[in-house]
Amino acid sequence: YEVDGLGNYLLMDDANVPSLLSIPYLGYDYDRTIFVNTKRFLFSKDNPMFHEGKHDGVAYAGIGSPHTKFIASSIWPMAMIMEGLVSNNATHKVVLVEKLLA
């Protein structure tokens, strides 16, 4: 996601759109196998913007932003919405909507 030209890099994805997660939604041509691997990374602790936590007893997991990285469990609703838009699992979509409305 970020490089500095000196050999250093930061692998992450931001909750904003466009994002790596939004590639299918935005209509880009993409390799499905690579996207599955990318999505696996996005929703793992390897992505520094991935957060897990609870709010009012509801467990949440999702993508935050460098702008809110110092706020514990700072998952952006926009990322949850995009997660649902690119999901092929109807049950997962319903769970995300319920969490967004909670």
Side-chain angles (χ1 to χ4, degrees), residues 55-88:
H55 179 71
D56 290 337
V58 178
Y60 289 87
I63 301 171
S65 169
H67 306 292
T68 58
K69 68 182 176 184
F70 299 109
I71 302 170
S73 303
S74 58
I75 300 164
W76 280 27
M78 183 184 307
M80 293 175 70
I81 293 166
M82 188 54 63
E83 181 182 352
L85 289 171
V86 301
S87 176
N88 295 323

Side-chain angles (χ1 to χ4, degrees), residues 14 29 35 47 58 87 91:
D14 191 302
D29 187 29
F35 182 72
N47 177 5
V58 178
S87 176
T91 302

Side-chain angles (χ1 to χ4, degrees), residues 32-47:
R32 290 189 187 279
T33 302
I34 293 172
F35 182 72
V36 167
N37 289 331
T38 300
K39 195 171 172 184
R40 187 178 304 123
F41 163 76
L42 298 178
F43 291 97
S44 75
K45 293 188 187 284
D46 293 327
N47 177 5

